[in-house]
Amino acid sequence: MVRPMSQRLQGLAQSEIRAMTRAADAAGAINLGQGICDLPTPAPVADAAVQAIRDRKSTYTYCEGDAGLRRKIAAKLARVNGIDADPETDIVVTAGSAAAFTCVLHGLFDPGDELLIPEPYYGYHVGAARVAGVVPAYVGLRAPGFELTAELLRAAITPKTRGLVLCTPSNPSGRMLTRGELEVAARVAEEFDLTVITDEIYESITYDGREHVSPASISAAMARRTVTILGLSKTFSITGWRLGYVVAPAAMAEKLKLVHDLFYICAPTPLQHGVAAGFDLDDSFFEGMRADYAAKRALLVDTLREIGLPPIVPEGAYYILADVSSMGEPTAKAAAMRLVEEAGVAAVPGTAFFSGTAGETGEGLVRFCYAKEQGALEEACRRLRTWGAARA
Ligand code: GLN
């Protein structure tokens, strides 16, 4: 008999994002499922990491990260995010933004606490909360606008609610929270004394001139209760490096440092030196990245429209939710598997991003990711068009 294992993992399985990567690999399909982001890493970032290894900067840093990197992060937070942070006390460099999220769950919450999670969500927020014993409370946003309202937030609040997750630009919907929505969220957070946890890892990937607004920048009151999570995976195309950072008022950051030390010791040292060079890149790098993603968004949006899988056009990030109900499959998973087998292109079933308990279910949707090299994305779109023509 198998010995009993953690109760907290009951009902949790490896994510659909992972499952579709395996399915894509097995079928030789192009993987537009997992947000792998296989674009080239900027040369200064790669070179600085290699140099750090050669210079034997390969031992631990403090658990909160290299001091020079934290100073660069603080300057960037002031310049780009409108966040005032003391690099000595308020910033922790983490082993990816997922590690930052884990530190927040374990450092600032107790088992049984409830966490408001707007839906559609990034499933790892839900899974990681459950592993920490924190209970997700879903706030069902309505497609296609996915607007965050005070009514929806209030409806999900109970006496046990302690926190609110804000993912903007959103994975998977691509929605960017407006200043107005953030003000609403700030008022509700104040009224119910909630800790706000942000996930802003897609902050640099925005379209049509939209400006990313960091929730902590809304007001001094909001900044006092907000833990801002940012990452470098998407900005520098280094998803496998596992580097992110978290910013919080000193008392909260202290707890995050404690957990980061106990779980991870520190983020990878030479890679911290690599990304430090990335903070010196000028605006033209970010403008170039935005233009590249905008062109890729247009290519995939046009393709999906042409083959009768209407897309919800994202405002930021690099995912598209597309309506696959015309395929007539009983589930989103079946539609995604059919796309792998018939078209040779993998996407993630929409159900991976919905609990199924807060209104919409994600059936009838799949998520495509266009963070791919141009050639691979073009080939994927060619395959989708060929498949679409055959079924028309
Ligand atoms: N953020 C990426 C996605 O949503 C990848 C993260 C992951 O592999 N879990 O696909």
Side-chain angles (χ1 to χ4, degrees), residues 25 40 62 171 175 177 343 374:
D25 289 347
Y62 288 146
N171 176 6
R175 255 312 305 284
L177 293 172
Q374 184 66 19

Side-chain angles (χ1 to χ4, degrees), residues 115-189:
L115 187 58
L116 298 174
I117 302 185
E119 189 177 291
Y121 48 64
Y122 173 49
Y124 282 58
H125 294 155
V126 170
R130 288 174 59 183
V131 173
V134 173
V135 182
Y138 304 103
V139 180
L141 309 182
R142 298 282 172 271
F146 301 115
E147 193 194 339
L148 186 69
T149 68
E151 294 67 43
L152 288 170
L153 285 172
R154 283 170 186 284
I157 289 175
T158 77
K160 291 184 177 165
T161 310
R162 296 286 176 272
L164 163 64
V165 175
L166 296 177
C167 180
T168 181
S170 159
N171 176 6
S173 75
R175 255 312 305 284
M176 291 172 64
L177 293 172
T178 62
R179 200 168 282 279
E181 287 170 293
L182 292 174
E183 280 162 1
V184 163
R187 273 199 295 278
V188 173

Side-chain angles (χ1 to χ4, degrees), residues 15 17-18 33-36 122 124 171 201-202 234 239 318-319 348 353 367 369:
S15 75
I17 297 176
R18 288 280 168 282
Q34 184 182 10
I36 292 173
Y122 173 49
Y124 282 58
N171 176 6
I201 193 159
Y202 301 98
K234 325 287 169 170
T239 52
Y318 49 47
Y319 304 103
V348 179
F353 310 103
R367 189 199 73 175
C369 170

Side-chain angles (χ1 to χ4, degrees), residues 48 65 146 167 179 183 194-195 209 223 230 234 236 245 254 258 289 375 383 387 391:
F146 301 115
C167 180
R179 200 168 282 279
E183 280 162 1
L194 306 179
T195 297
L230 289 148
K234 325 287 169 170
F236 300 139
Y245 53 98
E254 197 55 45
L258 183 60
M289 181 173 72
R383 289 183 185 190
W387 172 80
R391 100 186 162 110

Side-chain angles (χ1 to χ4, degrees), residues 6-10 12 101-117 124-138 160-163 197 263:
S6 169
Q7 291 283 336
R8 298 188 309 284
L9 298 192
Q10 289 236 334
L12 280 175
F101 198 75
T102 301
C103 292
V104 173
L105 290 166
H106 290 270
L108 306 182
F109 293 89
D110 284 309
D113 285 353
E114 290 183 11
L115 187 58
L116 298 174
I117 302 185
Y124 282 58
H125 294 155
V126 170
R130 288 174 59 183
V131 173
V134 173
V135 182
Y138 304 103
K160 291 184 177 165
T161 310
R162 296 286 176 272
I197 311 163
F263 280 12

